[in-house]
Amino acid sequence: MVSDTERHATYLDPILERHGFAATSLLQVLREAQEHFGYIHADAITYLTQKLKLPRVKIEGVATFYSFLYLQPRGEYRVLFSDNITDHMLGSAALMNQMCQQLWVEPGKVSEDGLVSISTTSCTGMCDQGPALLVNNIAINRLTPERIVNICELIRKRVPLSAWPAEFFAIADNIRRRDILLDSSFESGSALNALLARGSTETLQEIKLSKLRGRGGAGFSTGSKWEFCRAAHGTHHYVVCNADEGEPGTFKDRVLLTGYADQVFEGLTLCARIIGARKGFLYLRGEYRYLLDHLLVVLQQRRDKRLLGSSILGCADFDFDIEIHFGAGAYVCGEESALIESLEGKRGTPRNRPPFPVSNGYLDQPTVVNNVETFAASSLIALRGGAWYAAIGTATSSGTKLLSVSGDCERPGIYEYPFGVTVAQVLADCGARDTQAVQVSGASGVCVAAQEFTRRIAFEDIPTAGAFMVFDHSRDMFEVARNFVHFFAHESCGFCTPCRVGTRLLQNMMDKLARGNGSPYDFAEIEKLDQLLLSMSHCGLGHAACNPVKDTIAKFRPAYDKRLKHHEFEPAFDLDYALSQARQMTGRDDAGAHLGESK
Amino acid sequence: MSDKTFVLDGKTIPYAEGQTIMQAAMTAGVYIPHLCYHPEFKPHGSCKLCTVKANGRQAASCTQLAQSGVVVESNTGELNDERRALLQMLFVEGNHFCPSCEQSGKCKLQATAYDLNMMSTHFDHFFPDRPVDASHSDYLLDFNRCILCSLCIRASRDVDGKNVFGLAGRGIKSHLIVNAASGQLADTDFTANDKAAQVCPVGVILKKRKGFAVPIGQRTYDLNPISAMPGVKQD
Ligand SMILES: Cc1cc2nc3c(=O)[nH]c(=O)nc-3n(C[C@H](O)[C@H](O)[C@H](O)COP(=O)(O)O)c2cc1C
Ligand code: SF4
Ligand code: SF4
Ligand code: FES
């Protein structure tokens, strides 16, 4: 008789073999294993403990960390609506409601026949073409009530995803402004040829001369990072491309990987040659699963042209290849040390630093982690020289920056500008009117009000990882901030006390204000929380978690004031609100089911 | 004067190469509040109670290496205020009913809260639903009190070589799990002799049938405040 565990061997063995039975591939194995039943069966975990020689607590710990992995049955069709503020502005809440009603399922639950589950997920990176959703991890954009009707029909008839109309899955690039990077007609191998002609040390000098700074947010000097890593001792060196792109409102890395993947991979290969790495990773967010086939083709083409693999371009000592690893719904894995943990198949918890990845990264070896755009830019620099690049942009922010523009404007999409462009210029170019505010660099960035639109996009003024969300005067900036606060609470990894508990306290406070139960006392509390998170959090997520609230309180105070019920202390306990669960259970909403001041 | 010293709240502290600020301070008999640190295990750096300012910059002293000449502030009004807020967070996150807890008087969370003059929990309680695991014949797990310090995880993994405990979930849903498909301690290889049975700083991992052997009022931290005993291990 076949044991319960061995029943899972049939589909798990090929997956395990493909990954060489390596414990470091646990996350990848779990993702692929899940594709079988739509969730990870308890017996499958038992089988994996044997084959990967990992304790059960480890596997369950990983499986429960990532939003896209499930240990309980989900629907055959798992629908996740993107929960970013830009999706909401385009009507996502009503569309989700419509779908829930049409398919008779409550949000967050599985339908009784096991057919479908509907829930929300953090920003899926489709803000220029929302509202967006993922169905079994594949993106569908530009949702309308009609499209929802069609999707419900397909689900009800159990039509396999592969037979759904192709136009549902169409994803536009929406490139609106091109500059040196997007304009380049990059030729495969040209930057590598330049590197071999010039020499590694000399090319590193060019990268330093270019003053290129990381495009993932922190803006660290790329040349210095590569130099540190090159000098660090280790048995192996690694290159990692950070394509986690989890910051709400950011989608430029998706566009780069769609149209410029060759140039990005060439950047990784350059870096590998310079630091002496033989292996590289592309850490791709799970939301971009649909890009996999395309990326595999590009990688194969590069191998065929001897731009990857062994003896690259005929150099006997130049071996390098790139593996694609997927994330599974965890924003914190964009933080470089959490990303490395995730690459090693673990929970995405940021490490204690120092030591930094340049000396102690993947498998404790020297590792460069750079953003997708950083690698794309480095290819250009290797080709055209550091001085050329440094002359573009401003003195301390060289080159160009890709902005992911979304929200209230006529032409959302990707805009490439030399650093130093004003917010006003971007607004004019994208056709924004009556603009109240712009959230630059996503939830963890800054909220810029109208009187500041002359400020510039640059590390020395408004630094950005690329998001540029536009809000006109019809928008409630309190709700914008509340959306971001929910995002941080959902994405906190839970490792450190201040962020794990603090983000939830902040969420409760914002929800209390939203219910109209706020008091000035709450502002002092928010101020205190902000201080605490800044002072004591373990990583950038916790440091930034209060930013949206602080910014909007400072700049859009009326949006908060109108929610204050009393101008003194107001208890968080609200009798009528406390009864809401009972009302839902009994299906009542009449006057007798309310107590106190009903709203 | 030796090269290898730093200054902690005005006091010169010697250190050995590779020591953290916490280790050096403890060796010198100076107390820095802490919960997830334990001298016998690899530092974790998660509770953040030990946060100090080293040359003006916040750092967890249990993971920050000591460096020559660094000026460290720890016992300041500002830092202690923030530590108190962290303690309050830990109290509201779980369910802590100290008067009925077997660990009362020898609990590090309680003792640290007393020591830092925490008068109330300040924040609204979360009242999470955390079932107790009484499956094991000798030990009880009362998860209501877990502060996710991971000491039991480290002890089981690094000393007992067993991996009885682990962390699951994310964010506020982070929680402790045990190594069994059933999720029950009885189905793990946990025993009363495990190091992991002795390290919990609060009252989660409790020995059955050994209630209140030392009367309340005469327990470790009833006799002396936790800050007076920087190096003392739990009883
Ligand atoms: C919470 C958090 C999330 C992050 N997410 C990303 C991300 O999605 N992509 C990225 O490139 N960098 C992200 N970063 C920044 C990385 O830690 C790291 O600085 C960056 O990948 C380095 O590459 P760069 O120098 O090319 O910018 C994140 C940082 C934090 C704290
Ligand atoms: S700040 Fe938040 S995300 Fe970062 S380590 Fe702490 S809990 Fe995790
Ligand atoms: S059970 Fe105790 S030792 Fe283990 S994590 Fe929780 S509080 Fe720490
Ligand atoms: S004791 Fe240092 S972070 Fe917990």
Side-chain angles (χ1 to χ4, degrees), chain A residues 213-220 222 225 242 244-247 253 331-332 334-336 369-372 374 539-541:
Chain A
R213 296 170 66 171
R215 300 306 194 228
F220 192 79
T222 305
K225 188 183 277 187
N242 187 342
D244 197 49
E245 191 153 71
E247 192 62 56
D253 293 340
Y331 162 67
V332 71
E335 194 281 335
E336 57 185 9
V369 181
N370 274 132
N371 177 254
V372 175
T374 312
C539 86
L541 191 154

Side-chain angles (χ1 to χ4, degrees), chain B residues 56-86:
Chain B
R57 272 186 71 121
Q58 276 92 351
S61 61
C62 70
T63 55
Q64 184 81 5
L65 290 180
Q67 275 183 316
S68 169
V70 174
V71 177
V72 181
E73 300 162 72
S74 171
N75 195 8
T76 68
E78 180 193 330
L79 283 166
N80 285 337
D81 281 347
E82 291 179 340
R83 288 178 182 136
R84 213 173 295 119
L86 289 181

Side-chain angles (χ1 to χ4, degrees), chain B residues 143 145-153 165 176 199-202 204-205:
Chain B
F143 295 115
R145 303 157 183 161
C146 180
I147 57 169
L148 302 169
C149 71
S150 99
L151 277 170
C152 57
I153 300 174
F165 298 99
L176 202 69
V199 292
C200 183
V202 292
V204 179
I205 307 174

Side-chain angles (χ1 to χ4, degrees), chain A residues 259-456:
Chain A
Y260 301 78
D262 205 31
Q263 188 168 340
V264 174
F265 291 141
E266 187 131 340
L268 269 88
T269 316
L270 286 171
C271 176
R273 178 68 172 174
I274 289 170
I275 66 165
R278 296 163 58 97
K279 182 156 186 165
F281 294 98
L282 176 73
Y283 187 90
L284 187 60
R285 68 186 313 216
E287 289 83 346
Y288 295 166
R289 169 68 176 73
Y290 76 96
L291 281 172
L292 179 62
D293 290 344
H294 154 70
L295 292 171
L296 289 175
V297 167
V298 177
L299 286 175
Q300 193 50 48
Q301 284 167 349
R302 290 186 65 83
R303 281 182 205 112
D304 295 343
K305 292 183 203 157
R306 304 205 65 184
L307 300 174
L308 270 185
S310 50
S311 307
I312 289 172
L313 288 172
C315 291
D317 64 341
F318 190 3
D319 303 341
F320 178 67
D321 214 323
I322 299 169
E323 207 176 283
I324 298 175
H325 267 231
F326 276 104
Y331 162 67
V332 71
C333 290
E335 194 281 335
E336 57 185 9
S337 67
L339 184 150
I340 290 170
E341 289 283 295
S342 183
L343 269 182
E344 292 179 359
K346 303 179 189 157
R347 295 163 60 81
T349 307
R351 293 177 175 176
N352 289 310
R353 284 150 302 144
F356 292 95
V358 282
S359 58
N360 301 73
Y362 181 68
L363 304 178
D364 213 28
Q365 298 301 314
T367 304
V368 161
V369 181
N370 274 132
N371 177 254
V372 175
E373 188 181 347
T374 312
F375 282 118
S378 68
S379 291
L380 273 191
I381 295 164
L383 200 57
R384 305 188 59 176
W388 166 78
Y389 194 82
I392 299 160
T394 73
T396 43
S397 309
S398 66
T400 61
K401 182 78 194 88
L402 265 55
L403 300 180
S404 313
V405 177
S406 64
D408 295 313
C409 64
E410 274 165 20
R411 293 176 294 279
I414 299 295
Y415 291 75
E416 185 191 9
Y417 290 100
F419 271 111
V421 65
T422 62
V423 172
Q425 181 68 54
V426 181
L427 287 171
D429 291 351
C430 71
R433 273 193 304 263
D434 193 30
T435 306
Q436 178 180 200
V438 181
Q439 183 76 21
V440 183
S441 203
S444 60
V446 284
C447 185
V448 182
Q451 62 272 22
E452 305 169 274
F453 288 171
T454 51
R455 291 179 63 186
R456 294 172 189 282

